[in-house]
Amino acid sequence: MKETAVVGVGNTKIGEWYDSSLRELTDEAISKAVQSANIDPKEIGATFVGSMSSGIFNQQEHLAALIGPHSGINAPAIRVENACASGGSALRVAMMAINAGFYETALVVGVEKMTDLIDIGDVTTALGTASDGEWELGIGATFPALYALIMRAHMHQYGSTLEEFASVSVKNHKNGSLNPDAQFRKVVTMETVMNSRMIAEPVRLFDCSPVSDGAAAVILTAKDVAKKYTDDPIYIKGSGAGTDHIALHQRESLTSLQATKRAAETAFKMAKITPKDIDFIEVHDCFTVAEVITLEDLGFCKVGKGGKFSLDGETALNSTISVNPSGGLKSKGHPVGATGIYQVIEMFHQLRNEAGKRQVSKNDIGVTQNIGGSGASCVINVFSRGA
Ligand code: COA
């Protein structure tokens, strides 16, 4: 099997960027990535764009053609849409194209500019289109409401507590306070999280990722040419994807994601690793319960004990397993289609020892888990420093 490397990255800070257009955000991310890889844009063989809902958020479809040429890259471009897993999916598709020998280099861009919709109700509806329209959004079940059902089910089934879920938010805000590109850079207490505004009982404001704008770009190359662009490439050692029913009631379980398990099985097998080999992981904590369930599904702790594992401090920076050193979606922000690429950029900096104050000390193997919607799609990618 051929391998792919990441040789350069660039991104905007995540935030509410009312004064920048979607095109300006991607221009900034792409120009930084091109500069970081020290690559002539003419050498880029193809562009892959991950974005969830630019048609609804910005009344702009046909993103691939909009973005590449505007940044001076005239390579063939396509968009990959897989809800909040669009970024991770775009990376996987680009990797497959390179490993199959179609291209030697590719640009992968993730972008979402959510604040062009001013009304939070409109944003919630736009996001809700990634649920089952007939069975969920159509009868008023928004994403906070769906994750509230999942959280309730977890509490009912395993006796997990609100304090356990809140500890995920506290830890991610602490990590995010060390990340200059994060949307929220404030440390928060358990009391702040547990007394925050109720959104969809029992999900409170600080259980939710925010509404965000951001663009992130990475340059991929075939492994054998990577050193032409940087002395210190990182390598994609494994990649897996999983899919399940969109509607919660059609799934086997409310408290475990088959899509995550399927993606992990493929990715870990390809990378020849087990969960014990992972030094740090960026997981998709769109709501605190999502991080708890992921810890269980990936086998870092016993089923039903993800919340306790978090409350006990086992997921803090440089503890048993560093989970979301970037601050995760909760604190770093969640520009939905771009999130999977921001996760890869965190891999790049952590594996190259350039993550500053949030640098993890054990950094041979890092993993990203990017999920779509309430978990019907999942992409897991495994990265390493050594070839
Ligand atoms: N966590 C912490 N603080 C948040 C926040 C969040 N998720 N979202 C907003 N805030 C803060 C704002 O910074 C602002 O603080 P300030 O008053 O100090 O300036 C305050 O809360 C009010 O912000 P506002 O933008 O008016 O909040 P809102 O009610 O419009 O939105 C949510 C809050 C929870 C509804 C929104 O963040 C949301 O929908 N999140 C989920 C997104 C989602 O579903 N993504 C897809 C996942 S599958």
Side-chain angles (χ1 to χ4, degrees):
M1 174 69 88
K2 290 191 175 179
E3 274 186 32
T4 305
V6 184
V7 298
V9 303
N11 62 274
T12 68
K13 187 173 159 25
I14 301 180
E16 296 181 349
W17 303 134
Y18 297 106
D19 293 336
S20 304
S21 70
L22 183 147
R23 199 177 341 222
E24 285 166 337
L25 293 177
T26 51
D27 275 353
E28 181 182 334
I30 293 170
S31 66
K32 284 179 177 170
V34 165
Q35 208 177 1
S36 154
N38 199 19
I39 190 170
D40 179 345
K42 290 196 194 71
E43 289 181 62
I44 293 172
T47 299
F48 297 84
V49 179
S51 183
M52 175 182 153
S53 265
S54 59
I56 306 178
F57 286 126
N58 323 100
Q59 265 110 60
Q60 179 68 62
E61 301 289 15
H62 208 178
L63 273 197
L66 182 90
I67 287 169
H70 193 260
S71 295
I73 294 161
N74 293 312
I78 58 165
R79 171 173 164 189
V80 178
E81 187 278 307
N82 210 7
C84 306
S86 297
S89 302
L91 185 96
R92 183 172 149 80
V93 171
M95 179 208 75
M96 291 192 291
I98 290 177
N99 286 1
F102 283 93
Y103 306 109
E104 204 167 68
T105 59
L107 166 71
V108 192
V109 188
V111 62
E112 210 76 56
K113 178 153 173 37
M114 300 166 74
T115 62
D116 278 1
L117 288 181
I118 303 298
D119 187 316
I120 186 65
D122 291 339
V123 174
T124 303
T125 303
L127 290 167
T129 60
S131 70
D132 188 312
E134 197 177 346
W135 290 105
E136 295 178 330
L137 186 65
I139 52 165
T142 62
F143 272 118
L146 291 170
Y147 276 95
L149 288 175
I150 296 173
M151 194 162 153
R152 268 270 179 252
H154 199 280
M155 293 167 77
H156 175 73
Q157 214 162 319
Y158 301 113
S160 45
T161 66
L162 294 173
E163 204 182 14
E164 290 172 358
F165 294 110
S167 72
V168 172
S169 182
V170 171
K171 181 264 297 172
N172 286 346
H173 272 271
K174 189 171 174 196
N175 292 352
S177 74
L178 306 174
N179 183 350
D181 289 337
Q183 181 165 352
F184 296 136
R185 295 200 61 197
K186 56 182 177 189
V187 173
V188 296
T189 61
M190 290 293 276
E191 290 68 36
T192 303
V193 176
M194 294 181 73
N195 295 328
S196 62
R197 182 158 47 103
M198 190 62 82
I199 301 295
E201 199 182 358
V203 169
R204 289 180 182 269
L205 182 68
F206 275 83
D207 288 300
C208 306
S209 56
V211 171
S212 314
D213 302 328
V218 299
I219 308 283
L220 301 188
T221 71
K223 178 180 163 183
D224 45 359
V225 297
K227 292 255 166 119
K228 189 171 141 194
Y229 301 100
T230 174
D231 291 339
D232 208 3
I234 68 162
Y235 299 93
I236 307 177
K237 304 302 285 185
S239 178
T243 306
D244 197 358
H245 292 285
I246 289 190
L248 293 188
H249 71 275
Q250 291 183 304
R251 299 206 194 139
E252 246 174 55
S253 162
L254 278 180
T255 54
S256 167
L257 297 181
Q258 288 306 312
T260 295
K261 289 185 166 176
R262 290 171 189 152
E265 194 183 342
T266 313
F268 295 173
K269 192 170 166 198
M270 182 173 164
K272 300 189 183 70
I273 62 161
T274 70
K276 286 199 175 58
D277 299 313
I278 300 170
D279 296 318
F280 64 101
I281 183 163
E282 285 287 306
V283 307
H284 196 100
D285 59 317
C286 51
F287 294 88
T288 49
V289 65
E291 178 164 321
V292 166
I293 286 177
T294 298
L295 296 172
E296 298 169 15
D297 283 339
L298 294 184
F300 293 121
C301 61
K302 287 197 181 126
V303 173
K305 297 290 179 197
K308 183 171 184 312
F309 193 66
S310 175
L311 185 63
D312 288 350
E314 311 268 11
T315 58
L317 206 58
N318 293 320
S319 60
T320 310
I321 166 108
S322 300
V323 180
N324 280 329
S326 72
L329 285 49
K330 175 67 204 78
S331 168
K332 186 185 60 193
H334 184 25
V336 285
T339 281
I341 304 300
Y342 278 98
Q343 291 180 326
V344 177
I345 293 178
E346 185 67 9
M347 294 291 120
F348 190 78
H349 294 312
Q350 291 286 358
L351 289 167
R352 289 162 44 116
N353 290 305
E354 50 191 39
K357 289 185 178 158
R358 65 183 194 285
Q359 179 64 48
V360 298
S361 48
K362 273 168 58 195
N363 64 346
D364 291 325
I365 305 258
V367 167
T368 56
Q369 181 238 17
N370 187 199
I371 68 177
S374 59
S377 308
C378 180
V379 179
I380 292 186
N381 291 312
V382 180
F383 299 84
S384 84
R385 210 171 16 168

